[in-house]
Amino acid sequence: APHAAVEIIVGIDPIAAAALPAGVHQADVTFVDDCTGEEFVRTVTLRVTAPLAVTPTEESISSGVFGGPFRPPAHAFTLTNVTDAPLDWTATVCVDAATCAAPPDPSWLILDSTTGSLAASDAVDVAATLTAAARTLNVGRHSLLVRFATGGSYVDRAVTLEVTGLRLEPVDDGEFRGPLGGPFEPQSLIYTLRNADLEEMYWTATVAFDSPPALNWLQATPAKGTVLDPEGVAEVTVSLAPEAAALP
């Protein structure tokens, strides 16, 4: 009838809603005027909160040259029980979200803890650390998932390793030793740069000190090189400057 009103109750199917994973779920409810064909759409949102909160929520990224080192070498996740009851949890490294298949052995990512229990409102940290296998990964972007599960729900967090095309050897840090005033050994350190990418690249070598020194006691030669073609190789000599003899 003209100017009449009717109420329509939109409800949740408790069985279907209970099967939804944690996250934001939306559905559109469409109302149609049968006389004019005009449609009115209202969006209904259901926010399902996981019993296990995991921070950070964004993707965790490490990066470095082919062969390493990579920074940061590890990522920390904080697991919090947001319920008022104790819960058990597990953590797994997965190749993909659909099957949560395990990565090839040895994996380039490992967890320091894979299972545990949390009292109500308690929290615990889990570290995901890069392994030696990360040094063998080809140039490119590599991603794995860490799945934190409890009961019938789970939360996935992506960990990505970006490997750039310039390989630096050796991968270990260098060290000079000697008495006050010298002489110091070795006389120099040789680093080899290798372009493991498919395109040419430019490079520079810069010496940076932990704190502003009174003396520039270290030097790299050459500090800048020519273009490195794919599979091209260049050597940089890192040596002590004469000012090293004046260091305390």
Side-chain angles (χ1 to χ4, degrees), residues 48-137:
V48 180
T49 302
L52 189 66
V54 180
T55 56
T57 59
E58 65 272 10
E59 179 183 21
S60 298
I61 301 176
S62 294
S63 62
V65 297
F66 178 76
F70 303 105
R71 297 289 185 270
H75 300 275
F77 297 95
T78 300
L79 284 58
T80 304
N81 179 0
V82 298
T83 72
D84 56 3
L87 59 78
D88 297 327
W89 60 268
T90 61
T92 309
V93 177
C94 310
V95 173
D96 59 79
T99 64
C100 196
D105 187 37
S107 172
W108 57 265
L109 188 73
I110 59 172
L111 305 175
D112 69 343
S113 182
T114 58
T115 185
S117 299
L118 282 174
S121 302
D122 272 3
V124 67
D125 288 338
V126 175
T129 304
L130 302 181
T131 71
R135 295 184 174 184
T136 66
L137 294 177

Side-chain angles (χ1 to χ4, degrees), residues 11-23 25-27 46-48 152:
I12 293 176
D13 182 329
I15 297 178
L20 291 174
H25 306 273
Q26 293 183 323
L46 173 60
R47 299 182 184 273
V48 180

Side-chain angles (χ1 to χ4, degrees), residues 29-221:
V29 180
T30 303
F31 304 88
V32 181
D33 185 332
D34 292 337
C35 295
T36 64
E38 185 176 5
E39 294 184 354
F40 305 88
V41 179
R42 295 294 183 268
T43 300
V44 178
T45 299
L46 173 60
R47 299 182 184 273
V48 180
T49 302
L52 189 66
V54 180
T55 56
T57 59
E58 65 272 10
E59 179 183 21
S60 298
I61 301 176
S62 294
S63 62
V65 297
F66 178 76
F70 303 105
R71 297 289 185 270
H75 300 275
F77 297 95
T78 300
L79 284 58
T80 304
N81 179 0
V82 298
T83 72
D84 56 3
L87 59 78
D88 297 327
W89 60 268
T90 61
T92 309
V93 177
C94 310
V95 173
D96 59 79
T99 64
C100 196
D105 187 37
S107 172
W108 57 265
L109 188 73
I110 59 172
L111 305 175
D112 69 343
S113 182
T114 58
T115 185
S117 299
L118 282 174
S121 302
D122 272 3
V124 67
D125 288 338
V126 175
T129 304
L130 302 181
T131 71
R135 295 184 174 184
T136 66
L137 294 177
N138 293 326
V139 173
R141 186 179 174 91
H142 307 269
S143 293
L144 290 173
L145 291 177
V146 181
R147 175 163 294 180
F148 301 98
T150 178
S153 68
Y154 62 85
V155 176
D156 288 341
R157 292 291 181 262
V159 178
T160 296
L161 176 59
E162 296 178 342
V163 182
T164 58
L166 187 63
R167 180 173 182 175
L168 180 64
E169 297 175 335
V171 298
D172 299 322
D173 294 333
E175 182 177 82
F176 294 92
R177 289 188 178 186
L180 188 67
F184 302 101
E185 294 291 340
Q187 294 183 348
S188 62
L189 302 171
I190 306 297
Y191 289 93
T192 301
L193 285 68
R194 185 183 306 275
N195 182 2
D197 212 336
L198 299 178
E199 299 180 359
E200 64 181 23
M201 63 173 54
Y202 300 84
W203 63 270
T204 58
T206 304
V207 177
F209 300 92
D210 288 342
S211 58
L215 300 170
N216 294 322
W217 54 269
L218 192 68
Q219 58 192 7
T221 308

